[in-house]
Amino acid sequence: MFALADDVRLGTPATGLVVRERDVSVSTSTDEIRADAVVIASGAHAVRPRLAGAVTLRTADDADALRARLHPGKRLVVVGAGWIGAEVAGVAAAAGIDVTVVEASTAPLAALLGGAVGKLTVPWYAPAGVRLLTGVRPPRSAPTG
């Protein structure tokens, strides 16, 4: 049987990566892992605005808790128009939620893709039923674990 992820190492820092024609190896402080393919999910730290009711989405439990709070006719503000923020906004809007995305940069995904490419994603929001506000920062925020 095919396993989607044969070896997941959460919290294990990679110290080296070698890409060869037929395989890849990743070194850690304790061993070397060889594979046909490697997904490097370096993660990020969620930033929680200091607003009542603000939540972060990092785990399946977080997604379940958010889903339980959202029903058609409710309002949702998504802070950040990155990949996850855009996905949450689109899914919520399709479920009848009134969604606004607030992005500090001048375009979605600008930090990852650059402003010119990020601006190409702007037309996706309105047809999905999502209001997009760029160049807007939420109130002072603090990183969460």
Side-chain angles (χ1 to χ4, degrees):
M1 178 174 180
F2 174 75
L4 184 58
D6 294 323
D7 190 356
V8 177
R9 309 271 179 114
L10 301 175
T12 302
T15 58
L17 174 69
V18 177
V19 179
R20 292 179 288 275
E21 187 173 330
R22 297 196 184 274
D23 69 353
V24 178
S25 64
V26 177
S27 301
T28 72
S29 59
T30 58
D31 62 356
E32 180 177 311
I33 303 114
R34 292 187 95 168
D36 298 314
V38 174
V39 174
I40 300 173
S42 59
H45 293 283
V47 176
R48 183 189 318 259
R50 293 184 185 179
L51 299 170
V55 298
T56 57
L57 178 60
R58 305 239 337 130
T59 67
D61 288 342
D62 294 343
D64 290 342
L66 179 60
R67 186 179 301 110
R69 293 174 65 180
L70 297 177
H71 305 285
K74 294 275 189 172
R75 293 180 7 188
L76 173 67
V77 175
V78 177
V79 177
W83 297 115
I84 293 173
E87 180 69 17
V88 168
V91 169
I97 310 301
D98 178 8
V99 181
T100 300
V101 173
V102 177
E103 170 58 42
S105 185
T106 58
L109 300 165
L112 298 169
L113 304 176
V117 174
K119 286 181 182 179
L120 295 174
T121 69
V122 170
W124 300 348
Y125 286 82
V130 176
R131 277 180 305 289
L132 174 65
L133 305 175
T134 58
V136 177
R137 291 190 180 276
R140 293 184 65 214
S141 56
T144 63

